Structures are given as structure tokens and as C-alpha cells.
């Protein structure tokens, strides 16, 4: 498996299921698209931030949920799942370091998923899981706050390293890990920076050029997007991306092969715009050699965008789709919604009407993740919204259309 695909394998679960289960000489077709219903709401009236994590902390085979919120005591929240879509809150035993960007991986190589919470106030909290609900905590104190975090082995030593995206001035910070949860600052990017401040928005790690080494994609307010290619020894080359104007502020990013050519593509949600202008996500098709081509036809159905974006094959047709948070009316008083933009596997898109997802009434979406929470093989949508009416909502497919197999 190519490494970029490994980093984002969860978005392809349904695709893999469909392809693996298809017999040679047969084609799959569906009579109707699935629709969604709200399965549950978790802790409404809370200002949630950033993208949630879905992982198995206690190795019981059931997905658990991690999220972070502003203006509350103990902003890092963990819920243990029962494999049926139900979640029980876990009482915090860790320090309150403020709301934080989240990342997960097996940091100390003991077989358990660990958590990094990079606080908006500069504290980098590492929680090493014991697989039974307990954690060993380490805290690194830094000057800037953070808006995104990723874990990957950047120098090929077998230990996960930490990449952080600063809120104001830090830019991209790269920390080398020693396998114990201790982080040593190795370098910052870009060098030199383009200005005194460099407000970060989002960060992804993936293998963009198929050399087997992790690369970085970062989004900044005012300065646009930056791409750095890793050499597998901790070194990076690259800089400002020219395929998107810096003024088109990228709020959030996703990565996946949307046109099935074997190369990862970049999906961007963000660009404030005005209420009377068309807006929506953008897709940039990669060629695996550092060139990117816009492929956004059918995506400009919104007026305001948000920080919520995710990729997955929602209807199990073998093509990746987009879930994006945004506003369709241009009037902020109408609130925001979640929108299913269906991919055709060639880089084309269409809005799914009457999907069951809310088209208005939500607070500003802050993050979205996709995971099979109840073990039925179908991904649920986990959406976080902010503001006074913020909440975590889980959306489940109401019905799964039967897949009809017909001979060629």
C-alpha cells in the first residue's frame, strides 16, 4: 500500500469493501442514493473546535471518540464506544491545557493508540495510553498556540515524529520523536517566513510523489498553501504553492485519489467570499510529480465555506465523495449545513439533493470525520460545530440501497 494511502485509509473503508466483494465479470449498480438521519447529539451548547479523532483506545475492537472544546473545564473529551454507536464519557485524569488540535498514533510502540493535543495556548500534551483507559502524560511548553497536528515517521528511524502548525507566528514546526513521547524541535518552515505573522489553518501529511516518504501540505491565512516534499531523512524541500491564490484563504484540507489515477489529490474548503458570490470547495488533481490541476466543476454550490471537509465513498460506488460544511443562502442568520458532493471518479462533482443532511440551522462547522461507529460496514458522519449552540452530531445512513450485480 502506498504510504499516502495508509495515512488516509479510513476514508476508503467503504471503497475497499465494495471492490473486494465484487466477483469478476460483474458490475455494481444502485437504484437510489442513501439518505441520512441524525443518530445522536453529544453535548450540545458547547463550542467544539478542530477535527475529532476516532480510534480504539482500549483495544476492545470498538471505535472511541476524542474531541476538544473552548470555554469549558477540561476541554479534552474522550468517549468510549460500545461498537453499537453508543458512547460513554471518560472522566478526565489529565491536565487542562486548553482546547487543542489533535493527532493520534502509537508513539511508544506498545501497540496502543496514543494522543497528542497541541493547545491553542502553546502547551503540547502527549497522552500515552495503557490500553485500559489510563494515560501517562507529558507536556511540552511552547510560545505559540497551534491549530493542527500530525504524527508520522519523518526520518525513517521507526519512531513517530510530530508536525505542528502554529496559530500566529510559528509556521510549521517539526519535532523528532524518541519513541517515549519526548519531542525535540528539529526545524521550522518556511525559512525565512513571508511575514511577521503566519496564521495557520490546517495541515496534512501524505506521500504526494510516491517516493515512500511523508510530505507536508499546510494552509495559512493570508499566505495560502505550502507544500514540502520529504526525503525520508528528516529533510524537506518546497515552499509556497502556486496553484491557488493566497487570497483564497484555505480553511481546511483533505487528501485522496478522487480521479483514480493512482496519485493523491488535494481538497480545500475555504474562501470567505461574500454572500452574493458562489463559493464552495476546490479540488486540485495531482500528477505525482508536483503539478496540480483544478477540478472544481460542480462544487460551487455554497455562499460561505467552513473548516469542515472530509473525503469518503458514501454511496459505495467506488468513487470518493466530499462532505463539506457551509452556507447556501448567503445569509449567516440561516446558519450552516452539511453537504454531500458526489464524485464521479473522474474529478467531476454534483450536489446530492435531499440527502437528509441539514442544509441550514447548524452553528459554524469546525470539523468533520467519517468512521464506522456501529460495525455495520457503513461510515457515519461525525460533525463538530462551534458557537454557543455548538454540538457533536452523528449522522447515519437511513437505509442502504441493495447492490444489484449484473453480468457484463
Amino acid at each position: 500500500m502506498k504510504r499516502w494511502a495508509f495515512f488516509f485509509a479510513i476514508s476508503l473503508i467503504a471503497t475497499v469493501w465494495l471492490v473486494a466483494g465484487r466477483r469478476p465479470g460483474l458490475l455494481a449498480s444502485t437504484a437510489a442514493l442513501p439518505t441520512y438521519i441524525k443518530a445522536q447529539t453529544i453535548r450540545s451548547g458547547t463550542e467544539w473546535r478542530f477535527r475529532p479523532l476516532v480510534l480504539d483506545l482500549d483495544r476492545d475492537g470498538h471505535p472511541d471518540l476524542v474531541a476538544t472544546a473552548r470555554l469549558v473545564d477540561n476541554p479534552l473529551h474522550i468517549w468510549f464506544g460500545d461498537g453499537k454507536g453508543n458512547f460513554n464519557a471518560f472522566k478526565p485524569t489529565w491536565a487542562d491545557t486548553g482546547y487543542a488540535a489533535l493527532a493520534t498514533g502509537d508513539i511508544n510502540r506498545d501497540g496502543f493508540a496514543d494522543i497528542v493535543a497541541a493547545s491553542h495556548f502553546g502547551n503540547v500534551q502527549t497522552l500515552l495510553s495503557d490500553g485500559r483507559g489510563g494515560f501517562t502524560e507529558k507536556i511540552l511548553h511552547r510560545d505559540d498556540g497551534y491549530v493542527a497536528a500530525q504524527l508520522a515517521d519523518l526520518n525513517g528511524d521507526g519512531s513517530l515524529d510530530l508536525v505542528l502548525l502554529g496559530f500566529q507566528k510559528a509556521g510549521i514546526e517539526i519535532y523528532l520523536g524518541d519513541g517515549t513521547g519526548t519531542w525535540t524541535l528539529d526545524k521550522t518552515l518556511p525559512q525565512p517566513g513571508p511575514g511577521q505573522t503566519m496564521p495557520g489553518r490546517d495541515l496534512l501529511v501524505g506521500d504526494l510523489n510516491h517516493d515512500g516518504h511523508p510530505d507536508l501540505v499546510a494552509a495559512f491565512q493570508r499566505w495560502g498553501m505550502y507544500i514540502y516534499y520529504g526525503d525520508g531523512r528528516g529533510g524537506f524541500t518546497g515552499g509556497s504553492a502556486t496553484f491557488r491564490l493566497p487570497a483564497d484563504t484555505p480553511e481546511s484540507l483533505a487528501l485522496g485519489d478522487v480521479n483514480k489515477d493512482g496519485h493523491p489529490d488535494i481538497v480545500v474548503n475555504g474562501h470567505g467570499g461574500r454572500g452574493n458570490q458562489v463559493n464552495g470547495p476546490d479540488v486540485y488533481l495531482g500528477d505525482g510529480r508536483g503539478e496540480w490541476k483544478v477540478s472544481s466543476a460542480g462544487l460551487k454550490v455554497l455562499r460561505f465555506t467552513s473548516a469542515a471537509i472530509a473525503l469518503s465513498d458514501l454511496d459505495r460506488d467506488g468513487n470518493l465523495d466530499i462532505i463539506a460544511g457551509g452556507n447556501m443562502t448567503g445569509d449567516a442568520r440561516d446558519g450552516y449545513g452539511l453537504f454531500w458532493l458526489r464524485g464521479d471518479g473522474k474529478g467531476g462533482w454534483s450536489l446530492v439533493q435531499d440527502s437528509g443532511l441539514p442544509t441550514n440551522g447548524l452553528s459554524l462547522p469546525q470539523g468533520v470525520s467519517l468512521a464506522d461507529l456501529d460495525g455495520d460496514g457503513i461510515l457515519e458522519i461525525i460533525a463538530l460545530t462551534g458557537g454557543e449552540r455548538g454540538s457533536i452530531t452523528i449522522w447515519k445512513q437511513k437505509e442502504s440501497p441493495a447492490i444489484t450485480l449484473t453480468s457484463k
Side-chain angles (χ1 to χ4, degrees), residues 209-287:
N209 56 359
H210 306 299
D211 64 355
H213 307 314
D215 307 313
L216 311 178
V217 184
F220 296 92
Q221 182 182 351
R222 190 181 309 128
W223 303 112
M225 294 178 60
Y226 281 68
I227 295 179
Y228 291 94
Y229 295 91
D231 62 7
R233 300 184 298 274
F236 289 88
T237 57
S240 178
T242 59
F243 57 82
R244 183 181 175 91
L245 293 175
D248 295 340
T249 299
E251 293 290 342
S252 55
L253 306 171
L255 193 66
D257 183 8
V258 303
N259 61 344
K260 298 190 288 190
D261 65 350
H263 307 308
D265 310 307
I266 298 173
V267 183
V268 182
N269 204 19
H271 179 230
R274 298 177 180 176
N276 60 354
Q277 296 176 339
V278 294
N279 209 333
D282 286 296
V283 172
Y284 300 94
L285 304 179
D287 66 357

Side-chain angles (χ1 to χ4, degrees), residues 88-282:
N88 296 309
F90 185 76
K91 184 177 180 180
T93 58
W94 46 87
D96 180 347
T97 60
Y99 68 99
L102 304 174
T104 185
D106 184 4
I107 294 170
N108 56 353
R109 292 177 287 182
D110 63 353
F112 305 124
D114 307 309
I115 298 170
V116 171
S119 167
H120 195 70
F121 304 103
N123 297 310
V124 182
Q125 184 178 45
T126 300
L127 298 175
L128 302 176
S129 173
D130 65 4
R132 301 184 299 273
F135 299 93
T136 299
E137 181 178 27
K138 294 187 176 184
I139 297 179
L140 173 67
H141 300 284
R142 297 293 297 167
D143 296 329
D144 199 2
Y146 299 100
V147 297
Q150 295 286 346
L151 288 165
D153 182 4
L154 303 179
N155 58 359
D157 66 351
S159 297
L160 291 178
D161 307 306
L162 177 63
V163 189
L164 301 178
L165 188 67
F167 168 60
Q168 291 181 315
K169 300 179 180 180
I172 303 169
E173 293 182 341
I174 296 175
Y175 296 82
L176 299 182
D178 65 356
T180 70
T182 298
W183 312 105
T184 302
L185 181 64
D186 181 61
K187 61 174 59 69
T188 60
L189 299 170
Q191 284 293 343
Q196 291 184 346
T197 62
M198 201 168 185
R201 286 295 177 262
D202 202 3
L203 172 73
L204 294 179
V205 176
D207 183 4
L208 302 179
N209 56 359
H210 306 299
D211 64 355
H213 307 314
D215 307 313
L216 311 178
V217 184
F220 296 92
Q221 182 182 351
R222 190 181 309 128
W223 303 112
M225 294 178 60
Y226 281 68
I227 295 179
Y228 291 94
Y229 295 91
D231 62 7
R233 300 184 298 274
F236 289 88
T237 57
S240 178
T242 59
F243 57 82
R244 183 181 175 91
L245 293 175
D248 295 340
T249 299
E251 293 290 342
S252 55
L253 306 171
L255 193 66
D257 183 8
V258 303
N259 61 344
K260 298 190 288 190
D261 65 350
H263 307 308
D265 310 307
I266 298 173
V267 183
V268 182
N269 204 19
H271 179 230
R274 298 177 180 176
N276 60 354
Q277 296 176 339
V278 294
N279 209 333
D282 286 296

Side-chain angles (χ1 to χ4, degrees), residues 40-43 48 51-58 62-68 76-82 85-90 94 102 115 135 368-371 373 381-384 392-394:
Q40 62 176 298
T41 300
I42 299 176
R43 191 158 173 170
W48 298 100
R51 188 180 292 118
L53 297 178
V54 181
L55 66 166
D56 185 2
L57 283 170
D58 52 0
H62 306 317
D64 307 313
L65 181 64
V66 183
T68 183
L76 181 64
H77 297 260
I78 295 176
W79 296 266
F80 286 97
D82 65 359
N86 304 308
F87 293 90
N88 296 309
F90 185 76
W94 46 87
L102 304 174
I115 298 170
F135 299 93
V368 62
S369 293
L370 298 153
L373 301 178
I381 300 170
I382 306 108
L384 270 66
I392 300 175
T393 53
I394 298 175

